[in-house]
Amino acid sequence: QSQLEGSFEGIGAYVEGTDAGFRIVAPIHGSPAEDAGILAGDIVLKVDGKEIAGMPEWEVISQIRGPAGTEVVLTVLHPNAEEPVDIAVTRGKIDVESVTWARIPETDYVYLQISQFAADTGDELKQALEAINTEAETGAPIAGILLDLRNNPGGYLQEALRVNTQFLETGKIILHERDASDQLRTYRSVGEGLARDLPMIAMINQGTASAGEITAGALKENGRARLVGQPTLGTGTVLQPFTLSDGSVLRLGVTNWLTPDKNLIKNQGVAPDSLVEQDPAIRMIDAFQLEDATALTDILAHGDKQFNLALLQLRLAAKE
C-alpha cells in the first residue's frame, strides 16, 4: 500500500524469492541500495548477520526495510563472484517514479516505461507525454513509442483507466468487470489523449500483472499495439480490502477483469503477438541505461532480446 502511494522507507530495490535464494532484481535508480553498491542479480544471504535461507519473502523484506536514516548490513553474493561481501546501506525515503522515458539512441523513437499503477501514475504519464510532444515540436521528431510493461505488478484500476485513455480513442473499450452474478460493467476511453496516433509496440512478460494486464489486453484487442515478450501472470481480479481488529487486512476477490473481447485474465493472462522467451536474470533495458548510452549498437548488444525485437517491430510499424 505504501509503495502504491508513491513512496516508502527502505533501501530501494526490486526483489524476488527464487530457488537460488533472495535475489535483487534491480536497485531503484538513485536509491541508497544503488549508491551502496547493490547490483542487479545479487543474492542476499544474510541481513544484519542473520541467515535468511528458508525465510518467507515478506519476512526478509520486513527485516531489510526500516526507518530512513538507520543502517542495515546485507551479506550478498554478486553475480559471477565466488565469495560474499558485506554491504552497509543507510535506509532512506524512496520516492518511486512509476513512469520513466528516454529517447532510443540514433533513432526517432522513445522508450516509455510504466513500472506500476500507483496513485499518481496517470499524472506522471501525462507529464511524460507532454514532454515528449514538446520535444517533437521543437525539432526532434518522434516516430513511435516503445512501451515497457514488463514486471509491472499492477495497482489502482482508476490509474489504469487514465493511462489507457492516453493511448485509445474515445469510446474504445478498456475492460469489463464481471461479478459473481455474471453482471458486466464496461469501462471505455473518455476525453482526450496525448498519444493516440503514434505507432506503438508494447513489451510484456510473466511479471506483468493486474492493471498491467488490463493495459496489455486493451492495447492488443483494440489493435492499438502489438505485444512482444511472454504471457502475463494472469491475476485480473478485483481485491476488496477488509481491515481486521488487529490491524491486518484481508483481501477478498469480488469481481473478475475481462479484456475488451471478454477474455478472462485470471489464470490465463494475456498472450503476446510475438513470443520471446527470456531468462529472468537478464538485466532489461530501461530509461536510465538509454540515457547513458551513446550508440544504438551498445543497447542492441546488451542481451535484452525482447527489447531488440520490439524495436524492430516498431520500425516496421512506423513505416506502414
Side-chain angles (χ1 to χ4, degrees):
Q1 185 176 18
S2 64
Q3 185 165 331
L4 287 176
E5 291 303 321
S7 67
F8 63 94
E9 294 187 345
I11 68 169
Y14 297 108
V15 299
E16 66 177 354
T18 69
D19 292 339
F22 189 81
R23 189 171 76 92
I24 303 292
V25 176
I28 295 173
H29 185 68
S31 67
E34 183 181 63
D35 292 342
I38 298 294
L39 305 176
D42 280 352
I43 299 297
V44 181
L45 305 176
K46 299 178 183 179
V47 178
D48 285 333
K50 182 179 179 181
E51 298 277 357
I52 62 170
M55 280 189 186
E57 183 176 330
W58 65 266
E59 188 172 347
V60 179
I61 290 173
S62 69
Q63 291 189 27
I64 296 176
R65 281 193 179 184
T70 60
E71 186 179 87
V72 60
V73 177
L74 303 183
T75 302
V76 303
L77 182 66
H78 290 315
N80 303 318
E82 295 183 359
E83 297 294 331
V85 295
D86 289 339
I87 298 179
V89 186
T90 301
R91 302 177 177 103
K93 180 181 179 183
I94 311 300
D95 294 317
V96 182
E97 286 184 309
S98 57
V99 179
T100 53
W101 72 279
R103 274 189 170 272
I104 300 174
E106 301 179 308
T107 76
D108 291 333
Y109 308 119
V110 296
Y111 167 93
L112 178 67
Q113 182 183 36
I114 303 176
S115 61
Q116 64 177 354
F117 291 86
D120 51 2
T121 297
D123 291 335
E124 287 187 37
L125 177 62
K126 183 180 178 181
Q127 292 168 8
L129 293 175
E130 287 174 342
I132 290 169
N133 289 340
T134 297
E135 195 167 294
E137 292 168 359
T138 54
I142 305 295
I145 296 174
L146 187 55
L147 178 65
D148 197 345
L149 297 171
R150 295 177 295 179
N151 291 341
N152 182 319
Y156 295 124
L157 171 62
Q158 184 60 37
E159 296 306 303
L161 298 177
R162 296 178 67 195
V163 164
N164 279 274
T165 289
Q166 297 290 356
F167 301 126
L168 298 174
E169 293 292 337
T170 298
K172 294 290 187 180
I173 296 174
I174 297 174
L175 80 151
H176 307 281
E177 275 187 2
R178 184 169 66 195
D179 63 19
S181 59
D182 211 29
Q183 296 297 307
L184 277 182
R185 180 180 181 183
T186 299
Y187 295 87
R188 298 177 182 269
S189 178
V190 296
E192 298 179 350
L194 297 175
R196 292 177 172 177
D197 299 321
L198 281 172
M200 186 164 66
I201 300 293
M203 295 183 288
I204 58 174
N205 67 0
Q206 67 275 20
T208 307
S210 187
E213 294 174 286
I214 287 176
T215 302
L219 295 176
K220 176 182 179 179
E221 294 184 2
N222 281 294
R224 179 64 184 89
R226 289 180 57 82
L227 304 181
V228 174
Q230 295 160 278
T232 62
L233 187 59
T235 58
T237 304
V238 178
L239 299 177
Q240 181 70 40
F242 296 90
T243 302
L244 305 182
S245 59
D246 65 352
S248 59
V249 174
L250 172 70
R251 293 186 178 272
L252 180 66
V254 294
T255 57
N256 283 324
W257 284 333
L258 288 76
T259 66
D261 292 343
K262 298 182 180 179
N263 292 311
L264 184 65
I265 294 175
K266 181 181 178 182
N267 296 330
Q268 298 183 37
V270 177
D273 296 291
S274 298
L275 176 65
V276 183
E277 298 285 355
Q278 186 158 284
D279 189 330
I282 294 292
R283 173 76 186 276
M284 297 182 297
I285 296 296
D286 60 27
F288 306 107
Q289 292 171 278
L290 291 171
E291 287 179 347
D292 293 337
T294 57
L296 180 60
T297 52
D298 295 337
I299 295 298
L300 297 179
H302 190 274
D304 188 345
K305 296 184 294 182
Q306 294 170 348
F307 178 93
N308 292 356
L309 180 60
L311 179 58
L312 174 61
Q313 292 198 4
L314 182 58
R315 283 174 156 166
L316 296 174
K319 294 178 180 179
E320 290 180 352

